[in-house]
Amino acid sequence: MDATTESIWERVLHDPQLRDLPFKIETNRHGQLVLSPHTPFHSRFQSRVLRLLDEYAPPSGEATIEFAVQTSRGVKVPDVVWLSEDRWSQIPEDAEASPVVPELCVEGRSAGNTDEEMTEKRRLYLEEGAQEVWVCDEEGALRFFDAEGERTQSALAPDVPTTIET
C-alpha cells in the first residue's frame, strides 16, 4: 500500500464523522473511499458464516468479521475471514489494516455488487496470499475459489455446506 492510500486509511479510521456511518468503508486503487451500506440481512449472513467457520474450519485458527486488509488496490474489508495462529502472529499489534492477508476471505454478494467488483476482490485476496476465497450469492449459495480457479468444495473446510440459509 502506498503512502497516500495509507494516509487516507489512517484518516478514515480516526475521523469521528466517519466512525458511526452505517457503511463498510474500503479504499480503491486511487485512494478513494468506497462505502457499502450494511443491512440487517447482511449482518446476519456474516454471523452465519462465522458460525460455519467456527464449526468447520481447522481449530488452529480463528474466524472474525469485517477484517481490514492492505492490498495493492487499497484497503479491502472481507465480510468474514479465517486466519491461522501463524498469520495472526505476523500482524503488528498497532496495524490499522493488516499487512497479512487471511488464508480464507469470504464475501457476501449484495444487490449493489458488480461481477467486476467481486472478481477483482477475489483476485486481490488470492494474489496477496489467501489460500481460498468464498463468495456467497444473494440466495445463499457458496462458491469456492483458490489460485487454480473455482472448486466444488473448500480445501480448508471440506465439510462446510455449500448453501447458507439467508
Side-chain angles (χ1 to χ4, degrees):
M1 177 165 51
D2 65 26
T4 303
T5 303
E6 189 170 336
S7 172
I8 290 168
W9 190 247
E10 285 180 39
R11 288 192 347 237
V12 166
L13 289 176
H14 301 290
D15 186 326
Q17 293 178 322
L18 298 176
R19 187 170 296 132
D20 295 324
L21 289 177
F23 300 103
K24 176 167 78 172
I25 300 173
E26 297 178 322
T27 60
N28 64 18
R29 66 182 172 180
H30 306 293
Q32 298 165 318
L33 296 182
V34 178
L35 305 177
S36 301
H38 255 267
T39 66
F41 288 99
H42 196 79
S43 294
R44 185 169 76 171
F45 156 78
Q46 290 174 313
S47 294
R48 288 180 174 173
V49 171
L50 186 68
R51 285 193 298 273
L52 283 176
L53 289 174
D54 285 344
E55 183 174 347
Y56 293 101
S60 59
E62 185 176 353
T64 190
I65 61 170
E66 303 272 327
F67 187 85
V69 63
Q70 297 171 2
T71 74
S72 61
R73 299 283 181 142
V75 174
K76 303 301 177 199
V77 184
D79 288 310
V80 184
V81 299
W82 180 88
L83 288 92
S84 65
E85 291 301 325
D86 180 56
R87 289 206 186 182
W88 274 110
S89 71
Q90 296 174 43
I91 302 170
E93 286 189 29
D94 63 345
E96 294 180 336
S98 175
V100 178
V101 174
E103 284 95 340
L104 173 60
C105 297
V106 183
E107 288 286 355
R109 186 171 181 148
S110 59
N113 294 126
T114 65
D115 288 339
E116 179 181 282
E117 175 186 11
M118 298 307 283
T119 299
E120 179 174 337
K121 283 185 175 187
R122 193 173 70 231
R123 181 186 57 74
L124 277 173
Y125 299 148
L126 291 168
E127 284 179 0
E128 302 279 342
Q131 293 174 9
E132 288 187 18
V133 176
W134 299 357
V135 177
C136 186
D137 68 21
E138 292 177 274
E139 287 76 41
L142 273 176
R143 295 174 63 198
F144 310 101
F145 299 88
D146 65 14
E148 303 299 315
E150 189 164 2
R151 307 175 50 90
T152 57
Q153 68 183 53
S154 168
L156 285 169
D159 296 326
V160 75
T162 58
T163 305
I164 296 173
E165 184 180 329
T166 57

